Amino acid sequence: SMDKRTYAEAEKILMEGIANLIIIGTPEEIAKNGEGYDITGATIVDPFNDPNKQKYIDKFVELRAKAYEKKGQTLTPEIAQKQIEDDYMFYACLMCKCGDADGAVSGACHSTANTIRPALQLLKCKPGVSSASGFFVMEVPNCDLGANGLFVFADCAVQIHPDSEHLAEIAKLSAESFEAFTGNKAKVAMLSFSTKGSAKDDDVTKVADAVKIAQEKYPEIEVDGELQLDAALDETVAKLKAPDSKVAGHANTLVFPSLEAGNIGYKLVQRLAKAEAYGPVLQGLAMPVNDLSRGCYAEDIVGVVAITAVQAQLAD
Protein backbone atom coordinates (compact mmCIF):
# COMPACT_ATOMS: atom_id res chain seq x y z
CA SER A 1 0.00 0.00 0.00
CA MET A 2 2.99 2.31 -0.62
CA ASP A 3 1.92 3.36 -4.10
CA LYS A 4 -0.58 6.06 -5.12
CA ARG A 5 -1.76 3.82 -7.99
CA THR A 6 -3.03 1.37 -5.37
CA TYR A 7 -5.30 3.96 -3.76
CA ALA A 8 -6.62 5.36 -7.05
CA GLU A 9 -7.70 1.88 -8.06
CA ALA A 10 -8.92 0.92 -4.57
CA GLU A 11 -11.39 3.81 -4.82
CA LYS A 12 -12.62 2.51 -8.18
CA ILE A 13 -12.87 -1.12 -6.95
CA LEU A 14 -14.94 -0.04 -3.93
CA MET A 15 -17.18 2.28 -6.00
CA GLU A 16 -17.90 -0.45 -8.55
CA GLY A 17 -18.30 -3.19 -5.91
CA ILE A 18 -15.71 -5.44 -7.59
CA ALA A 19 -14.35 -6.86 -4.33
CA ASN A 20 -14.24 -6.32 -0.59
CA LEU A 21 -10.86 -4.78 0.13
CA ILE A 22 -8.48 -5.06 3.06
CA ILE A 23 -5.64 -2.54 2.94
CA ILE A 24 -2.59 -3.30 5.11
CA GLY A 25 -0.75 -0.21 6.27
CA THR A 26 -0.12 2.19 9.13
CA PRO A 27 -2.38 5.26 9.49
CA GLU A 28 0.64 7.42 8.50
CA GLU A 29 1.33 5.41 5.32
CA ILE A 30 -2.32 5.48 4.33
CA ALA A 31 -2.71 9.21 5.03
CA LYS A 32 0.41 10.00 2.97
CA ASN A 33 -0.20 7.78 -0.06
CA GLY A 34 -4.01 7.70 -0.01
CA GLU A 35 -4.51 11.44 0.20
CA GLY A 36 -7.37 12.58 -2.02
CA TYR A 37 -8.82 9.09 -2.54
CA ASP A 38 -12.02 7.79 -0.95
CA ILE A 39 -11.31 4.35 0.50
CA THR A 40 -13.90 4.49 3.30
CA GLY A 41 -15.38 1.14 2.22
CA ALA A 42 -12.09 -0.71 2.79
CA THR A 43 -11.06 -2.53 5.96
CA ILE A 44 -7.79 -1.04 7.20
CA VAL A 45 -5.37 -3.34 9.02
CA ASP A 46 -2.50 -1.64 10.83
CA PRO A 47 0.15 -4.38 11.24
CA PHE A 48 1.57 -2.64 14.32
CA ASN A 49 -1.75 -2.34 16.22
CA ASP A 50 -3.86 -5.24 14.92
CA PRO A 51 -5.70 -7.20 17.65
CA ASN A 52 -5.20 -10.36 15.54
CA LYS A 53 -1.45 -9.90 15.28
CA GLN A 54 -0.45 -12.47 17.94
CA LYS A 55 -2.44 -15.11 16.06
CA TYR A 56 -0.42 -14.37 12.90
CA ILE A 57 2.90 -14.43 14.75
CA ASP A 58 2.00 -17.83 16.25
CA LYS A 59 0.93 -19.16 12.84
CA PHE A 60 4.17 -17.94 11.23
CA VAL A 61 6.23 -19.75 13.89
CA GLU A 62 4.14 -22.91 13.48
CA LEU A 63 4.55 -22.93 9.69
CA ARG A 64 8.21 -21.88 9.41
CA ALA A 65 9.98 -23.26 12.52
CA LYS A 66 11.13 -26.46 10.77
CA ALA A 67 12.60 -24.54 7.82
CA TYR A 68 14.61 -22.39 10.24
CA GLU A 69 15.78 -25.48 12.15
CA LYS A 70 17.10 -27.00 8.92
CA LYS A 71 19.32 -23.92 8.54
CA GLY A 72 20.48 -24.29 12.15
CA GLN A 73 18.45 -21.28 13.30
CA THR A 74 15.66 -20.85 15.84
CA LEU A 75 12.53 -18.98 14.78
CA THR A 76 11.49 -16.92 17.81
CA PRO A 77 8.22 -14.95 18.01
CA GLU A 78 10.35 -11.77 17.88
CA ILE A 79 11.92 -12.80 14.54
CA ALA A 80 8.47 -13.70 13.19
CA GLN A 81 7.08 -10.35 14.32
CA LYS A 82 9.88 -8.41 12.61
CA GLN A 83 9.42 -10.40 9.37
CA ILE A 84 5.70 -9.67 9.13
CA GLU A 85 6.13 -6.01 10.10
CA ASP A 86 8.92 -5.51 7.54
CA ASP A 87 7.08 -7.21 4.67
CA TYR A 88 3.32 -6.79 4.55
CA MET A 89 3.04 -9.60 1.99
CA PHE A 90 3.85 -12.06 4.78
CA TYR A 91 1.11 -10.39 6.83
CA ALA A 92 -1.38 -10.72 3.96
CA CYS A 93 -0.55 -14.42 3.42
CA LEU A 94 -0.99 -15.12 7.14
CA MET A 95 -4.40 -13.40 7.02
CA CYS A 96 -5.30 -15.76 4.16
CA LYS A 97 -3.94 -18.82 6.00
CA CYS A 98 -5.95 -17.95 9.13
CA GLY A 99 -9.17 -17.45 7.14
CA ASP A 100 -9.31 -13.67 7.64
CA ALA A 101 -8.83 -12.92 3.92
CA ASP A 102 -9.64 -14.83 0.71
CA GLY A 103 -6.66 -13.74 -1.37
CA ALA A 104 -3.89 -11.17 -1.66
CA VAL A 105 -2.61 -8.78 -4.33
CA SER A 106 0.82 -7.20 -4.16
CA GLY A 107 3.59 -5.99 -6.34
CA ALA A 108 3.07 -2.48 -7.71
CA CYS A 109 6.27 -1.80 -5.78
CA HIS A 110 7.32 -5.41 -5.04
CA SER A 111 9.23 -7.76 -7.32
CA THR A 112 7.51 -10.98 -8.38
CA ALA A 113 9.91 -12.99 -6.21
CA ASN A 114 8.97 -10.93 -3.14
CA THR A 115 5.30 -11.63 -3.79
CA ILE A 116 5.70 -15.33 -4.46
CA ARG A 117 8.14 -16.21 -1.67
CA PRO A 118 5.70 -15.57 1.21
CA ALA A 119 2.91 -17.35 -0.68
CA LEU A 120 5.00 -20.47 -1.28
CA GLN A 121 6.38 -20.51 2.26
CA LEU A 122 3.06 -19.98 4.04
CA LEU A 123 0.27 -21.16 1.72
CA LYS A 124 2.03 -23.86 -0.37
CA CYS A 125 0.76 -25.39 -3.62
CA LYS A 126 -2.60 -27.05 -4.20
CA PRO A 127 -2.66 -30.80 -3.53
CA GLY A 128 -1.23 -32.65 -6.54
CA VAL A 129 0.52 -29.57 -7.93
CA SER A 130 4.33 -29.59 -7.81
CA SER A 131 5.00 -25.88 -8.40
CA ALA A 132 3.29 -22.55 -8.96
CA SER A 133 3.43 -20.72 -12.28
CA GLY A 134 2.29 -17.34 -13.54
CA PHE A 135 0.06 -16.39 -16.46
CA PHE A 136 -1.30 -13.25 -18.05
CA VAL A 137 -4.81 -12.86 -19.38
CA MET A 138 -4.16 -10.99 -22.63
CA GLU A 139 -6.96 -9.01 -24.27
CA VAL A 140 -5.92 -7.96 -27.78
CA PRO A 141 -8.11 -5.29 -29.44
CA ASN A 142 -9.53 -5.83 -32.96
CA CYS A 143 -8.32 -9.42 -33.04
CA ASP A 144 -10.23 -12.48 -34.23
CA LEU A 145 -7.53 -14.95 -33.16
CA GLY A 146 -7.72 -16.93 -29.92
CA ALA A 147 -11.11 -16.41 -28.28
CA ASN A 148 -11.84 -13.15 -30.15
CA GLY A 149 -8.58 -11.66 -28.94
CA LEU A 150 -8.55 -13.28 -25.49
CA PHE A 151 -5.56 -15.45 -24.56
CA VAL A 152 -3.72 -16.90 -21.63
CA PHE A 153 0.11 -16.66 -21.86
CA ALA A 154 2.24 -18.77 -19.44
CA ASP A 155 4.65 -18.99 -17.73
CA CYS A 156 5.63 -15.32 -17.85
CA ALA A 157 6.51 -14.81 -14.21
CA VAL A 158 7.81 -17.71 -12.11
CA GLN A 159 9.64 -20.71 -13.60
CA ILE A 160 12.79 -19.64 -15.42
CA HIS A 161 13.73 -22.95 -17.07
CA PRO A 162 10.79 -25.35 -16.70
CA ASP A 163 11.57 -28.95 -17.65
CA SER A 164 9.18 -31.16 -19.64
CA GLU A 165 7.21 -32.28 -16.55
CA HIS A 166 6.76 -28.70 -15.37
CA LEU A 167 5.79 -27.48 -18.86
CA ALA A 168 3.10 -30.19 -18.98
CA GLU A 169 1.78 -29.07 -15.59
CA ILE A 170 1.81 -25.42 -16.72
CA ALA A 171 -0.26 -26.50 -19.75
CA LYS A 172 -2.86 -28.15 -17.52
CA LEU A 173 -3.09 -25.27 -15.03
CA SER A 174 -3.21 -22.70 -17.85
CA ALA A 175 -6.03 -24.58 -19.60
CA GLU A 176 -8.03 -24.57 -16.35
CA SER A 177 -7.30 -20.86 -15.85
CA PHE A 178 -8.31 -19.97 -19.41
CA GLU A 179 -11.60 -21.85 -19.08
CA ALA A 180 -12.36 -20.34 -15.65
CA PHE A 181 -11.79 -16.77 -16.82
CA THR A 182 -13.22 -16.82 -20.33
CA GLY A 183 -15.82 -19.58 -20.28
CA ASN A 184 -14.34 -20.93 -23.54
CA LYS A 185 -12.71 -24.31 -24.16
CA ALA A 186 -8.93 -24.05 -23.91
CA LYS A 187 -6.77 -25.01 -26.87
CA VAL A 188 -3.21 -25.16 -25.61
CA ALA A 189 -0.20 -24.66 -27.89
CA MET A 190 3.22 -25.62 -26.55
CA LEU A 191 5.43 -23.09 -28.31
CA SER A 192 8.89 -23.51 -29.78
CA PHE A 193 10.98 -22.31 -32.73
CA SER A 194 10.09 -25.63 -34.37
CA THR A 195 6.81 -27.11 -35.58
CA LYS A 196 6.45 -30.88 -35.30
CA GLY A 197 10.14 -31.67 -35.66
CA SER A 198 11.00 -29.02 -38.28
CA ALA A 199 14.11 -28.15 -36.24
CA LYS A 200 16.30 -30.41 -34.12
CA ASP A 201 17.60 -29.24 -30.74
CA ASP A 202 17.44 -30.19 -27.06
CA ASP A 203 15.11 -27.23 -26.46
CA VAL A 204 12.74 -28.58 -29.11
CA THR A 205 12.87 -32.09 -27.63
CA LYS A 206 12.01 -30.64 -24.21
CA VAL A 207 8.78 -29.12 -25.58
CA ALA A 208 7.88 -32.19 -27.66
CA ASP A 209 8.32 -34.37 -24.55
CA ALA A 210 6.14 -31.98 -22.55
CA VAL A 211 3.36 -32.42 -25.11
CA LYS A 212 3.52 -36.22 -24.77
CA ILE A 213 3.45 -35.98 -20.96
CA ALA A 214 0.51 -33.54 -21.01
CA GLN A 215 -1.49 -35.69 -23.46
CA GLU A 216 -0.93 -38.80 -21.31
CA LYS A 217 -1.36 -37.25 -17.84
CA TYR A 218 -4.11 -34.74 -18.63
CA PRO A 219 -6.27 -36.27 -21.39
CA GLU A 220 -9.07 -33.83 -20.57
CA ILE A 221 -7.18 -30.86 -22.04
CA GLU A 222 -6.66 -30.12 -25.74
CA VAL A 223 -2.92 -29.63 -26.14
CA ASP A 224 -0.52 -29.94 -29.05
CA GLY A 225 3.00 -29.05 -30.10
CA GLU A 226 5.67 -28.31 -30.47
CA LEU A 227 4.32 -25.39 -32.52
CA GLN A 228 5.78 -22.16 -33.81
CA LEU A 229 3.72 -19.12 -32.91
CA ASP A 230 2.35 -18.62 -36.44
CA ALA A 231 1.33 -22.29 -36.71
CA ALA A 232 -0.41 -22.02 -33.33
CA LEU A 233 -2.51 -18.99 -34.28
CA ASP A 234 -2.86 -18.80 -38.06
CA GLU A 235 -5.08 -21.36 -39.82
CA THR A 236 -3.33 -20.99 -43.16
CA VAL A 237 0.11 -21.67 -41.67
CA ALA A 238 -1.32 -24.47 -39.52
CA LYS A 239 -2.68 -26.28 -42.60
CA LEU A 240 0.81 -26.25 -44.12
CA LYS A 241 2.91 -27.04 -41.03
CA ALA A 242 0.60 -29.11 -38.79
CA PRO A 243 -2.34 -30.31 -40.92
CA ASP A 244 -3.44 -33.03 -38.47
CA SER A 245 -3.50 -30.83 -35.37
CA LYS A 246 -6.79 -29.86 -33.70
CA VAL A 247 -5.05 -27.04 -31.82
CA ALA A 248 -2.83 -25.50 -34.54
CA GLY A 249 -4.44 -22.40 -36.04
CA HIS A 250 -6.93 -22.15 -33.15
CA ALA A 251 -4.78 -21.87 -30.02
CA ASN A 252 -5.95 -19.55 -27.26
CA THR A 253 -3.63 -20.70 -24.45
CA LEU A 254 0.06 -20.27 -25.21
CA VAL A 255 2.69 -22.09 -23.13
CA PHE A 256 6.13 -20.59 -23.70
CA PRO A 257 9.25 -22.80 -23.46
CA SER A 258 10.96 -20.54 -20.89
CA LEU A 259 10.34 -17.51 -18.72
CA GLU A 260 12.57 -15.49 -21.03
CA ALA A 261 10.35 -16.22 -24.04
CA GLY A 262 7.13 -15.74 -22.07
CA ASN A 263 8.14 -12.43 -20.54
CA ILE A 264 9.33 -10.99 -23.87
CA GLY A 265 6.26 -12.39 -25.65
CA TYR A 266 3.63 -10.85 -23.40
CA LYS A 267 5.37 -7.45 -23.30
CA LEU A 268 5.65 -7.35 -27.10
CA VAL A 269 1.92 -7.98 -27.47
CA GLN A 270 1.08 -5.53 -24.69
CA ARG A 271 3.15 -2.67 -26.10
CA LEU A 272 2.87 -3.20 -29.87
CA ALA A 273 -0.68 -4.57 -30.15
CA LYS A 274 -1.92 -2.25 -27.34
CA ALA A 275 -3.24 -5.30 -25.51
CA GLU A 276 -4.44 -5.31 -21.92
CA ALA A 277 -2.18 -7.63 -19.90
CA TYR A 278 -3.78 -8.69 -16.63
CA GLY A 279 -1.31 -10.33 -14.29
CA PRO A 280 0.88 -12.08 -13.65
CA VAL A 281 -1.80 -14.23 -12.07
CA LEU A 282 -0.37 -17.07 -10.01
CA GLN A 283 -1.79 -20.55 -10.53
CA GLY A 284 -1.23 -23.73 -8.56
CA LEU A 285 -1.21 -22.09 -5.11
CA ALA A 286 -3.54 -23.28 -2.35
CA MET A 287 -5.08 -19.77 -2.14
CA PRO A 288 -5.08 -16.91 -4.66
CA VAL A 289 -2.10 -14.58 -4.30
CA ASN A 290 -1.28 -12.28 -7.17
CA ASP A 291 1.37 -9.95 -8.32
CA LEU A 292 1.47 -6.74 -10.32
CA SER A 293 4.20 -5.90 -12.77
CA ARG A 294 6.02 -2.82 -11.44
CA GLY A 295 5.52 -1.28 -14.89
CA CYS A 296 1.77 -1.81 -14.65
CA TYR A 297 -0.78 0.85 -15.55
CA ALA A 298 -3.08 1.89 -12.69
CA GLU A 299 -6.11 0.26 -14.37
CA ASP A 300 -4.27 -3.09 -14.46
CA ILE A 301 -4.65 -3.20 -10.67
CA VAL A 302 -8.45 -3.36 -10.99
CA GLY A 303 -8.16 -6.27 -13.42
CA VAL A 304 -5.83 -8.25 -11.16
CA VAL A 305 -8.00 -7.63 -8.06
CA ALA A 306 -11.06 -8.77 -10.03
CA ILE A 307 -9.23 -11.91 -11.17
CA THR A 308 -8.14 -12.64 -7.57
CA ALA A 309 -11.75 -12.29 -6.42
CA VAL A 310 -12.87 -14.74 -9.14
CA GLN A 311 -10.14 -17.22 -8.10
CA ALA A 312 -11.32 -16.98 -4.48
CA GLN A 313 -14.92 -17.66 -5.51
CA LEU A 314 -13.88 -20.63 -7.64
CA ALA A 315 -11.96 -22.07 -4.67
CA ASP A 316 -15.01 -21.94 -2.37
Side-chain angles (χ1 to χ4, degrees):
S1 67
M2 307 299 161
D3 194 300
K4 290 203 184 305
R5 286 173 297 183
T6 306
Y7 292 93
E9 296 315 296
E11 181 181 76
K12 194 181 290 184
I13 288 158
L14 292 164
M15 263 173 51
E16 295 179 17
I18 290 166
N20 297 319
L21 286 187
I22 298 165
I23 296 175
I24 299 174
T26 64
E28 295 76 20
E29 287 162 349
I30 288 167
K32 182 183 161 203
N33 295 301
E35 191 181 354
Y37 299 109
D38 180 5
I39 54 161
T40 45
T43 303
I44 306 298
V45 172
D46 174 1
F48 294 89
N49 296 291
D50 179 7
N52 284 319
K53 184 172 181 176
Q54 192 57 49
K55 174 172 72 171
Y56 304 139
I57 291 168
D58 294 345
K59 181 58 82 174
F60 189 98
V61 173
E62 176 199 323
L63 293 169
R64 298 293 299 152
K66 280 201 175 111
Y68 274 71
E69 276 169 33
K70 277 184 189 163
K71 293 189 284 187
Q73 299 166 357
T74 304
L75 175 55
T76 63
E78 291 73 24
I79 292 170
Q81 180 175 337
K82 183 166 181 357
Q83 180 81 62
I84 69 175
E85 286 174 355
D86 287 352
D87 188 338
Y88 295 171
M89 200 56 200
F90 280 96
Y91 210 96
C93 288
L94 288 162
M95 289 186 73
C96 292
K97 190 73 179 177
C98 292
D100 297 330
D102 299 314
V105 174
S106 156
C109 36
H110 275 72
S111 70
T112 299
N114 287 347
T115 300
I116 292 168
R117 193 179 302 111
L120 288 174
Q121 288 179 359
L122 301 172
L123 298 174
K124 309 284 194 282
C125 288
K126 280 180 186 165
V129 173
S130 68
S131 54
S133 50
F135 69 89
F136 279 83
V137 175
M138 303 295 295
E139 190 179 357
V140 186
N142 311 314
C143 175
D144 56 2
L145 303 175
N148 291 318
L150 269 181
F151 298 88
V152 156
F153 285 19
D155 179 349
C156 307
V158 183
Q159 295 191 43
I160 298 173
H161 298 295
D163 61 17
S164 300
E165 288 278 350
H166 282 124
L167 277 176
E169 187 173 76
I170 291 166
K172 176 192 187 281
L173 292 169
S174 301
E176 290 171 353
S177 296
F178 180 85
E179 289 173 6
F181 289 113
T182 72
N184 293 293
K185 176 74 181 153
K187 291 181 180 291
V188 186
M190 305 288 266
L191 299 178
S192 176
F193 61 88
S194 162
T195 297
K196 301 284 189 181
S198 64
K200 300 280 183 274
D201 187 80
D202 288 348
D203 284 346
V204 175
T205 306
K206 177 182 87 165
V207 178
D209 288 347
V211 174
K212 286 181 201 141
I213 294 165
Q215 288 171 342
E216 282 167 22
K217 271 176 94 168
Y218 316 115
E220 70 280 7
I221 68 168
E222 274 190 48
V223 57
D224 203 7
E226 82 287 3
L227 294 169
Q228 286 161 283
L229 194 277
D230 54 355
L233 297 183
D234 186 311
E235 255 185 283
T236 312
V237 178
K239 282 189 178 117
L240 283 172
K241 292 188 171 181
D244 301 327
S245 174
K246 287 183 184 162
V247 169
H250 306 283
N252 49 35
T253 303
L254 305 182
V255 175
F256 291 83
S258 68
L259 181 61
E260 187 173 42
N263 191 274
I264 292 166
Y266 101 77
K267 288 187 173 176
L268 268 173
V269 175
Q270 180 189 34
R271 301 292 167 173
L272 297 186
K274 305 288 192 285
E276 293 291 348
Y278 299 110
V281 185
L282 299 181
Q283 53 187 5
L285 289 168
M287 290 182 81
V289 172
N290 287 315
D291 184 30
L292 292 158
S293 164
R294 279 173 292 177
C296 70
Y297 301 120
E299 57 270 20
D300 297 345
I301 298 172
V302 175
V304 174
V305 170
I307 285 169
T308 308
V310 170
Q311 283 181 306
Q313 285 160 351
L314 290 169
D316 286 347

